[in-house]
Amino acid sequence: MFMISPRTTSRRSSVVSNVSDIRRLKPHLEGNLKWLDTLECTSDVMCCRFNPDGTLVAVGQSDGAIKVFNADNAVCLYSLTDDDTIKAHLPVTSVRFMLAASGDLKTEHHHILLASYASGMIKFWHYPSSSCLHTINEVRQTLTAALSPLGNKFLTAGDAEQIYVYDSETKTRVQTCEPSDSRDVMNGHRLRIFALQYHPWIPHVFISGGWDDTIMFWDDRQKHAVRRLYGPHICGDALDIDATHNHILTGSWRKDHILQIWDFESGKKIKDVPMDKFNSSQLYCAQWLGKEYMVCGGCENNMAMIIDRGTLNITGQVVDLPQGVYCIDNSRIGHHPKIAIGAEMCVYLVKNE
């Protein structure tokens, strides 16, 4: 197993001396990673997502446009904009491919992409025709969205305390999850919410995280959180649940204790993933990568890392990225799934070997 040795100095600080030099640097790989391709966008990348079979990657941009790429040849197949997104000109904050029920023959239920926007819009795109089928307008900044495992519900959250639960078929809000009015009770978020994640096999249960340094546990049929754990400072899509071991992975935007593993059932911390100051970033995103690895990325050192779950060693890195890593996703297919890493105006496709 390859292991990255700790650096004695920052690569960026030792090689470059000004902004123009930084721009001339090109991202490169260290460790057990294979470069696959680069998806070139027209504005800064804010979020990305593979479709269920790993053949497409949807990328949300800071200008409100969405690009859908072929994951095998990096060709941009569709560009999703309309009068609403052009007028608002605000970032796409999440993209999710909708799941059509088995045996569902309705055309409008297939090839659908759910997207949330900082403007408060939730849009449903039929991406092969580049047409928007439905729009929900939330009176807030909507910063994240999540789909239930069966695809029959979806969640949204943002700069307010409320998490909205919607029915995917009717697009109507069926529940509002929020804290109690009393400030003496901590059963919901009090600050911005940046991450939502349904449990992969426990019906109705999801978790959320944000600026208030808590992970809340919810039942989407109930108004208030059922329990919580304290610690992670979530500022992006840095919350994931491992279906096999029932462990939570959190990535925090801070200097210390940035990557942590928690037991879902008890809410107790299992371990901090150790980092050294030259091989770490303040994290915006983190995911489980199959059963054996974790992947995360952020700013400060502008890098993404692959970490062995058993040894906790860094086995691969993408370094010298032009900006911080705001989004990461993996195809969840096979022993070595494709990994998408978004930084500045590109999404870099790599593979763990």
Side-chain angles (χ1 to χ4, degrees), residues 223-299:
K223 186 173 183 178
H224 306 309
V226 296
R227 59 190 176 99
R228 69 184 187 276
L229 64 85
Y230 179 78
H233 186 70
I234 306 294
C235 293
D237 194 6
L239 187 61
D240 201 9
I241 303 172
D242 169 29
T244 303
H245 299 91
N246 208 22
H247 290 170
I248 300 171
L249 181 68
T250 61
S252 294
W253 194 87
R254 60 190 177 199
K255 298 285 186 180
D256 301 305
H257 308 294
I258 62 173
L259 193 63
Q260 298 172 303
I261 301 172
W262 310 77
D263 178 67
F264 184 93
E265 186 173 353
S266 68
K268 293 181 178 179
K269 185 171 67 176
I270 297 172
K271 63 183 69 173
D272 286 281
V273 178
M275 298 282 178
D276 69 84
K277 65 180 180 179
F278 300 118
N279 284 322
S280 67
S281 289
Q282 294 173 236
L283 299 182
Y284 284 116
C285 42
Q287 279 186 358
W288 293 113
L289 184 62
K291 297 180 181 180
E292 299 178 8
Y293 297 93
M294 300 166 270
V295 57
C296 60
C299 66

Side-chain angles (χ1 to χ4, degrees), residues 146-155 163-167 174-175 177 196-208 216-227 241 264:
L147 284 170
S148 66
L150 296 178
N152 60 322
K153 292 181 180 178
F154 66 92
L155 310 168
I163 298 171
Y164 296 150
V165 184
Y166 291 92
D167 180 274
V174 294
Q175 181 62 275
C177 300
L196 297 165
Q197 182 68 50
Y198 263 104
H199 194 282
W201 46 265
I202 303 178
H204 304 290
V205 173
F206 70 92
I207 56 177
S208 59
M216 292 290 174
F217 293 72
W218 306 82
D219 184 310
D220 65 16
R221 298 164 297 183
Q222 299 181 27
K223 186 173 183 178
H224 306 309
V226 296
R227 59 190 176 99
I241 303 172
F264 184 93

Side-chain angles (χ1 to χ4, degrees), residues 37-337:
D37 224 321
T38 301
L39 312 181
E40 297 183 355
C41 297
T42 54
S43 187
D44 282 357
V45 172
M46 304 304 295
C47 53
C48 63
R49 197 75 171 183
F50 282 95
N51 69 335
D53 64 12
T55 59
L56 301 175
V57 182
V59 181
Q61 300 186 163
S62 62
D63 62 355
I66 298 171
K67 307 291 185 182
V68 181
F69 292 88
N70 184 313
D72 294 323
N73 59 21
V75 172
C76 182
L77 302 174
Y78 314 109
S79 182
L80 310 179
T81 61
D82 63 8
D83 291 342
D84 293 339
T85 61
I86 293 171
K87 182 180 179 179
H89 200 71
L90 288 173
V92 185
T93 54
S94 68
V95 285
R96 297 290 187 270
F97 286 90
M98 301 288 286
L99 302 174
S102 178
D104 188 346
L105 301 179
K106 292 184 178 180
T107 304
E108 63 269 24
H109 294 172
H110 293 261
H111 308 297
I112 306 300
L113 186 72
L114 181 156
S116 65
Y117 299 79
S119 62
M121 292 186 293
I122 309 295
K123 284 186 170 287
F124 297 83
W125 295 95
H126 181 254
Y127 52 87
S129 63
S130 298
S131 58
C132 179
L133 303 181
H134 189 82
T135 301
I136 299 170
N137 288 292
E138 297 184 341
V139 186
R140 62 177 179 180
Q141 289 183 6
T142 306
L143 302 174
T144 185
L147 284 170
S148 66
L150 296 178
N152 60 322
K153 292 181 180 178
F154 66 92
L155 310 168
T156 67
D159 67 347
E161 300 173 344
Q162 293 77 22
I163 298 171
Y164 296 150
V165 184
Y166 291 92
D167 180 274
S168 297
E169 170 72 19
T170 64
K171 310 296 188 295
T172 56
R173 192 190 308 172
V174 294
Q175 181 62 275
T176 298
C177 300
E178 59 186 345
S180 300
D181 292 335
S182 173
R183 290 282 174 171
D184 296 328
V185 180
M186 189 65 174
N187 57 2
H189 292 289
R190 297 295 183 182
L191 297 173
R192 289 175 178 239
I193 303 165
F194 282 93
L196 297 165
Q197 182 68 50
Y198 263 104
H199 194 282
W201 46 265
I202 303 178
H204 304 290
V205 173
F206 70 92
I207 56 177
S208 59
W211 275 1
D212 59 8
D213 297 347
T214 60
I215 302 300
M216 292 290 174
F217 293 72
W218 306 82
D219 184 310
D220 65 16
R221 298 164 297 183
Q222 299 181 27
K223 186 173 183 178
H224 306 309
V226 296
R227 59 190 176 99
R228 69 184 187 276
L229 64 85
Y230 179 78
H233 186 70
I234 306 294
C235 293
D237 194 6
L239 187 61
D240 201 9
I241 303 172
D242 169 29
T244 303
H245 299 91
N246 208 22
H247 290 170
I248 300 171
L249 181 68
T250 61
S252 294
W253 194 87
R254 60 190 177 199
K255 298 285 186 180
D256 301 305
H257 308 294
I258 62 173
L259 193 63
Q260 298 172 303
I261 301 172
W262 310 77
D263 178 67
F264 184 93
E265 186 173 353
S266 68
K268 293 181 178 179
K269 185 171 67 176
I270 297 172
K271 63 183 69 173
D272 286 281
V273 178
M275 298 282 178
D276 69 84
K277 65 180 180 179
F278 300 118
N279 284 322
S280 67
S281 289
Q282 294 173 236
L283 299 182
Y284 284 116
C285 42
Q287 279 186 358
W288 293 113
L289 184 62
K291 297 180 181 180
E292 299 178 8
Y293 297 93
M294 300 166 270
V295 57
C296 60
C299 66
E300 190 179 24
N301 283 332
N302 295 351
M303 62 194 298
M305 298 171 284
I306 312 298
I307 300 167
D308 185 282
R309 181 174 185 159
T311 66
L312 302 184
N313 291 327
I314 298 173
T315 62
Q317 297 180 149
V318 183
V319 298
D320 290 336
L321 290 164
Q323 284 184 0
V325 176
Y326 290 130
C327 59
I328 283 177
D329 193 36
N330 76 89
S331 64
R332 300 169 182 82
I333 294 176
H335 189 62
H336 297 295

